[in-house]
């Protein structure tokens, strides 16, 4: 029997995996303390591909190591901020995780295998290599293998341990590149901005006042840029008055509201002339009646960004809170891994079994039964959204729940959203009948439309529109109302959280696992505020920072530069570019901006605020 050290990313995951694998084992699950009181060690026996194993399962708590400058560069006044683009950096285990490191070293010395159970995304892969480094330093003869899983359920865990793979160096390198780029760029620009402000206002740098730190982040600033740009668009909007003709007709079947097909006119005199023509000859003649079937297609399988956007739109939950709730549900085994860019299911996924597990539910269980009834004809293989991160499937339910008693309202909401979204994406499109009626009044064209539709399971979406009375081609009637109404053009609304996530996703700012963090940082650093309707406004400080860069002609607040960086890091993760190549390119580009004399002089404009 060989000794196998298993390491998970969190204590709760270690306990879940150990519980699943030890079930029905001869000696059951034994628990003992490690060096860290939060990271216990679970022991049990297990057979991996015919090999009897004495399994030791423990955990880390996220990243085991931190990346930082060497000590002589860590103090703010120790060097010119420009030196930070090339100053030596090191990865080390911080003091608060030394006990976890000691546990790994002690257990690794008496094991022959190391199995990594870290989350199966880029960040998890990087943590896996941190664990490998510590364990191999204690025992260089370890055989290292990787368990790949997307849900903490029996089927997935047993399958993962019987199909171990090699760790992915490219995934880890992509994270190393991002960490170093963000550290160097963030530290250099943050120190420069903050020291300039302190010098300008003669502020003691020793004061421990976080409000005096003007942080710069290569993802954070473009995110702020989206908010400021929309705010400027609203501020610069000049309302313009317009006029439009409105017509309605009431019959025994209801009221039809007809819209002027010209839309509206900005010339009042022209609008009045046309209105008076209609009033003088008000008889309406039906010139067109068109009926057609409309399909509303179900959503694509659920990715992280789509989960965050929909939770914000339907429940007004912040993206940060949504991810915390989703993580809780994942660790409890109720949904699959919630950080995924994938919006298409593999042909190997047993979709019908997932539906079958929802049949007992008192609300949507009957719909799940209808989906599996071939006579109903409701089933449809889900469409592909065209994104596959090669790490995890779309978010989907992994265990039935009729309503866990310990859950908050938000846990129930997110679980229901995941289940209903999954059931919707394996359903036929909703079918609606739409009728369009066009009429002529004194040569002016008006139209009305109405529809009837159904969406059985996805209660979060619906078709608008109302029933429209029956009209025949050539029919004539006198409108019930015919009015000339005025209005003013309106600016677009402030960006909602769903809008902001869409902007970030489209521009390639951040990843599915980090976007909510970048938004939270803007709020924490008081660069932006969020109102009760989840709409963002820049603070004076946030606007001034963007204005300072914009006045100098620098587009560091625009998404282009970071989007290119994120694309390069994706290429590293796919093995198409090396970490060294990407680091050199990105840092040279940013250092050139930093050293530009125009930048150094122009940045003084940022010091106009207090």
């Amino acid at each position: 029997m060989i000794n196998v050290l298993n390491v998970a990313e969190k204590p709760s995951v270690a306990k879940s995996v150990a519980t699943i694998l030890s079930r029905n084992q001869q000696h059951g699950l034994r628990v003992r303390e490690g060096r860290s009181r939060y990271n216990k060690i679970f022991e049990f026996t297990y057979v991996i591909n015919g090999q009897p194993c004495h399994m030791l399962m423990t955990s880390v708590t996220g990243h085991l190591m931190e990346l930082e400058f060497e000590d002589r560069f860590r103090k703010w006044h120790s060097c010119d901020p420009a030196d930070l683009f090339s100053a030596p950096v090191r990865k080390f285990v911080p003091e608060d995780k030394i006990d976890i490191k000691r546990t790994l070293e002690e257990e690794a010395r008496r094991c022959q295998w190391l199995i990594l159970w870290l989350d199966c995304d880029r960040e998890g892969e990087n943590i896996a290599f941190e664990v490998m480094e510590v364990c191999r330093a204690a025992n260089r003869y370890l055989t290292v293998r990787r368990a790949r899983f997307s849900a903490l359920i029996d089927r997935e865990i047993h399958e993962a341990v019987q199909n171990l793979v090699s760790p992915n160096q490219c995934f880890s390198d992509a994270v190393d590149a991002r960490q170093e780029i963000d550290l160097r760029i963030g530290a250099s620009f943050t120190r420069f901005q903050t020291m300039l402000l302190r010098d300008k206002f003669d502020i003691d740098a020793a004061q421990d006042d976080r409000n005096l730190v003007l942080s710069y982040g290569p993802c954070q600033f473009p995110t702020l840029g989206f908010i400021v740009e929309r705010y400027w668009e609203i501020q610069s909007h000049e309302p313009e008055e317009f006029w439009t003709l409105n017509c309605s007709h009431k019959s025994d079947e209801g009221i039809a509201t007809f819209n002027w097909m010209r839309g509206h006119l900005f010339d009042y005199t022209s609008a009045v002339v046309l209105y008076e023509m209609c009033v003088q000859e008000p008889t309406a003649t039906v010139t067109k009646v068109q009926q057609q079937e409309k399909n509303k297609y179900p959503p694509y399988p659920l990715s992280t960004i789509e989960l965050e956007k929909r939770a914000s739109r339907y429940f007004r939950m912040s993206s940060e809170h949504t991810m915390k709730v989703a993580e809780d549900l994942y660790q409890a085994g109720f949904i699959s891994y919630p950080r995924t860019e994938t919006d298409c299911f593999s042909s190997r996924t047993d979709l019908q079994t997932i539906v079958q597990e929802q049949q007992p539910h008192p609300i949507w269980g009957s719909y799940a039964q209808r989906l599996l009834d071939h006579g109903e004809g409701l089933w449809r293989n889900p469409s592909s959204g065209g994104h596959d991160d090669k790490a995890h499937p779309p978010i989907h339910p992994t265990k039935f729940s009729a309503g866990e008693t310990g859950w908050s309202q938000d846990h129930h909401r997110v679980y229901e959203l995941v289940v209903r979204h999954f059931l919707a994406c394996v359903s036929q499109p909703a079918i609606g009948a739409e009728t369009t009626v066009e009429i002529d009044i004194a040569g002016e064209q008006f139209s009305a439309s109405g529809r009837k539709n159904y969406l059985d399971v996805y209660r979060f979406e619906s078709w608008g529109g109302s029933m429209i009375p029956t009209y025949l081609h050539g029919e004539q009637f006198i409108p019930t109302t015919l009015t000339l109404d005025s209005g003013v053009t309106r600016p677009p609304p402030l960006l909602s959280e769903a809008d902001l996530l869409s902007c970030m996703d489209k521009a390639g700012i951040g990843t599915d696992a980090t976007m909510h963090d970048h938004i939270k940082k803007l709020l924490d650093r008081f660069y932006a505020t969020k109102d009760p309707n989840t709409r963002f406004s820049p603070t004076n400080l946030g606007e001034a920072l963007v204005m300072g860069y914009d006045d100098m002609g620098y587009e560091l607040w625009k998404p282009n530069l970071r989007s290119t960086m994120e694309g390069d890091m994706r290429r590293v993760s796919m093995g198409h570019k090396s970490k060294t190549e990407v680091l050199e390119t990105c840092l040279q580009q940013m250092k050139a901006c930093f050293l530009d004399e125009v930048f150094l002089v122009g940045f003084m404009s940022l010091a106009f605020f207090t």
Side-chain angles (χ1 to χ4, degrees):
M1 183 177 291
I2 62 171
N3 291 330
V4 180
L5 175 60
N6 298 262
V7 183
E9 191 161 321
K10 304 173 188 71
S12 59
V13 176
K15 182 178 180 181
S16 295
V17 173
T19 300
I20 290 170
L21 294 181
S22 65
R23 209 168 280 150
N24 302 323
Q25 301 303 308
Q26 183 179 358
H27 299 293
L29 181 64
R30 301 174 297 284
V31 185
R32 60 183 170 88
E33 298 294 322
R35 290 277 187 170
S36 166
R37 63 193 181 98
Y38 301 109
N39 304 82
K40 300 185 184 301
I41 301 169
F42 303 90
E43 295 191 56
F44 53 96
T45 58
Y46 194 80
V47 177
I48 302 177
N49 294 324
Q51 172 67 60
C53 301
H54 176 223
M55 306 281 272
L56 298 96
M57 171 70 72
T58 188
S59 62
V60 290
T61 50
H63 275 283
L64 182 60
M65 297 182 176
E66 292 179 2
L67 184 70
E68 190 50 274
F69 294 105
E70 290 191 354
D71 290 344
R72 68 182 185 275
F73 294 96
R74 293 184 70 171
K75 291 185 178 178
W76 277 48
H77 291 276
S78 62
C79 65
D80 186 321
D83 295 341
L84 298 177
F85 283 96
S86 55
V89 294
R90 65 187 181 96
K91 253 194 166 184
F92 67 100
V93 178
E95 190 61 35
D96 63 339
K97 296 190 176 177
I98 290 295
D99 285 342
I100 297 175
K101 176 176 180 281
R102 287 174 179 158
T103 296
L104 295 177
E105 290 171 336
E106 290 172 3
E107 301 303 327
R109 289 190 186 104
R110 59 193 188 95
C111 289
Q112 291 78 52
W113 286 9
L114 169 65
I115 298 180
L116 301 160
W117 291 86
L118 291 306
D119 290 348
C120 298
D121 55 9
R122 288 190 219 165
E123 212 70 35
E125 210 71 15
N126 190 255
I127 301 170
F129 276 83
E130 293 172 356
V131 171
M132 282 171 55
E133 183 177 329
V134 168
C135 292
R136 276 191 161 159
N139 179 358
R140 62 192 179 97
Y141 298 107
L142 277 173
T143 296
V144 180
R145 304 300 284 164
R146 180 73 158 99
R148 296 212 168 274
F149 59 102
S150 294
L152 292 170
I153 56 175
D154 292 28
R155 182 180 67 252
E156 286 253 354
I157 298 304
H158 286 292
E159 186 175 329
V161 78
Q162 299 296 344
N163 294 276
L164 299 171
V165 297
S166 298
N168 189 325
Q169 182 73 59
C170 293
F171 270 29
S172 181
D173 283 350
V175 175
D176 281 338
R178 178 186 54 75
Q179 286 180 343
E180 187 169 338
I181 287 169
D182 288 354
L183 174 66
R184 293 186 185 280
I185 294 174
S188 56
F189 278 80
T190 297
R191 287 190 194 184
F192 186 80
Q193 291 177 180
T194 306
M195 289 193 294
L196 183 66
L197 178 68
R198 285 172 171 169
D199 291 344
K200 182 73 174 176
F201 294 100
D202 195 26
I203 297 170
D204 182 3
Q207 286 181 272
D208 183 21
D209 187 347
R210 285 178 295 177
N211 292 327
L212 300 178
V213 176
L214 297 183
S215 66
Y216 177 92
C219 282
Q220 167 194 326
F221 249 61
T223 305
L224 175 61
F226 292 128
I227 295 171
V228 172
E229 201 163 28
R230 174 58 64 87
Y231 178 75
W232 285 347
E233 188 179 350
I234 295 169
Q235 295 298 106
S236 64
H237 177 77
E238 294 185 5
E240 189 174 358
E241 191 170 14
F242 62 81
W243 288 266
T244 186
L245 302 185
N246 289 308
C247 168
S248 71
H249 178 234
K250 184 177 182 180
S251 70
D252 293 340
E253 295 182 53
I255 298 176
T257 300
F258 291 86
N259 298 309
W260 196 20
M261 293 177 70
R262 288 182 188 268
H264 54 252
L265 294 178
F266 291 100
D267 186 284
Y268 175 69
T269 303
S270 298
V272 168
V273 169
L274 295 173
Y275 173 64
E276 288 178 346
M277 288 170 53
C278 292
V279 169
Q280 290 169 8
E281 298 181 28
T283 301
T285 302
V286 178
T287 58
K288 180 180 179 181
V289 178
Q290 183 180 40
Q291 292 182 326
Q292 63 184 110
E293 189 177 274
K294 292 280 189 179
N295 289 347
K296 185 175 180 68
Y297 284 88
Y300 294 129
L302 193 60
S303 65
T304 301
I305 302 304
E306 206 56 38
L307 172 66
E308 292 172 339
K309 285 161 60 176
R310 289 173 185 259
S312 173
R313 194 177 299 127
Y314 304 151
F315 313 133
R316 294 190 176 178
M317 288 172 60
S318 71
S319 51
E320 180 206 11
H321 183 54
T322 297
M323 291 311 296
K324 183 182 182 305
V325 170
E327 182 73 23
D328 291 343
L329 295 173
Y330 160 69
Q331 291 189 31
F334 287 97
I335 67 172
S336 62
Y337 190 63
R339 293 182 176 87
T340 176
E341 297 174 7
T342 304
D343 54 12
C344 56
F345 281 105
S346 162
S347 59
R348 299 188 304 275
T349 306
D350 189 351
L351 300 172
Q352 296 209 359
T353 296
I354 301 173
V355 173
Q356 196 170 22
E357 290 170 347
Q358 295 298 325
Q359 287 185 113
H361 198 276
I363 298 174
W364 55 76
S366 60
Y367 186 84
Q369 292 171 19
R370 289 171 58 201
L371 272 173
L372 297 175
D373 184 346
H374 296 297
E376 289 271 353
L378 282 177
W379 181 273
R380 174 179 177 269
N381 287 330
S383 299
S384 168
H387 303 93
D388 187 353
D389 61 15
K390 307 298 183 185
H392 291 287
I395 305 167
H396 61 275
T398 54
K399 187 163 63 175
F400 170 77
S401 170
E404 302 301 301
T405 54
W407 286 5
S408 70
Q409 183 183 34
D410 287 340
H411 286 80
H412 286 291
R413 284 172 167 171
V414 172
Y415 180 75
E416 179 181 356
L417 172 57
V418 170
V419 176
R420 286 186 183 272
H421 193 102
F422 173 77
L423 295 176
C425 79
V426 295
S427 300
Q428 291 287 346
I431 301 172
E434 183 176 73
T435 300
T436 301
V437 177
E438 294 181 7
I439 61 173
D440 180 288
I441 303 176
E444 290 303 302
Q445 310 299 312
F446 298 80
S447 71
S449 63
R451 54 170 69 105
K452 189 175 186 297
N453 67 84
Y454 64 88
L455 288 169
D456 287 343
V457 70
Y458 206 51
R459 68 176 181 84
F460 309 109
E461 289 186 355
S462 64
W463 271 334
S466 56
M467 296 297 292
I468 187 171
T470 302
Y471 291 95
L472 300 175
H473 187 275
E475 178 182 346
Q476 293 187 325
F477 59 86
I478 301 296
T480 306
T481 64
L482 183 60
T483 58
L484 175 64
D485 299 316
S486 66
V488 293
T489 57
R490 297 183 181 278
L494 293 166
L495 290 178
S496 68
E497 187 144 6
D499 296 332
L500 187 54
L501 287 164
S502 293
C503 290
M504 296 170 73
D505 186 33
K506 185 177 180 180
I509 300 299
T511 65
D512 57 296
T514 62
M515 286 186 190
H516 63 282
D517 284 331
H518 303 315
I519 294 173
K520 182 175 184 294
K521 284 178 183 176
L522 294 181
L523 300 173
D524 290 346
R525 290 164 183 171
F526 203 61
Y527 291 170
T529 59
K530 184 168 69 170
D531 67 22
N533 294 319
T534 78
R535 295 194 178 274
F536 291 86
S537 299
T539 61
N540 290 337
L541 175 60
E543 185 183 9
L545 284 166
V546 171
M547 194 180 298
Y549 283 108
D550 191 59
D551 285 349
M552 291 178 283
Y554 281 90
E555 294 197 339
L556 297 177
W557 60 279
K558 295 274 191 177
N560 315 56
L561 190 59
R562 184 60 185 195
S563 180
T564 301
M565 291 181 187
E566 293 284 2
D568 280 342
M569 284 180 267
R570 276 193 294 274
R571 292 179 188 95
V572 172
S573 72
M574 294 184 290
H576 298 163
K577 276 193 173 184
S578 71
K579 178 177 75 173
T580 304
E581 180 185 359
V582 168
L583 281 171
E584 287 178 356
T585 302
C586 291
L587 294 175
Q588 282 176 6
Q589 195 173 16
M590 291 301 293
K591 187 174 182 180
C593 291
F594 190 89
L595 293 177
D596 193 317
E597 186 177 351
V598 177
F599 173 79
L600 296 177
V601 175
F603 206 97
M604 293 301 293
S605 65
L606 287 176
F608 69 78
F609 52 84
T610 58

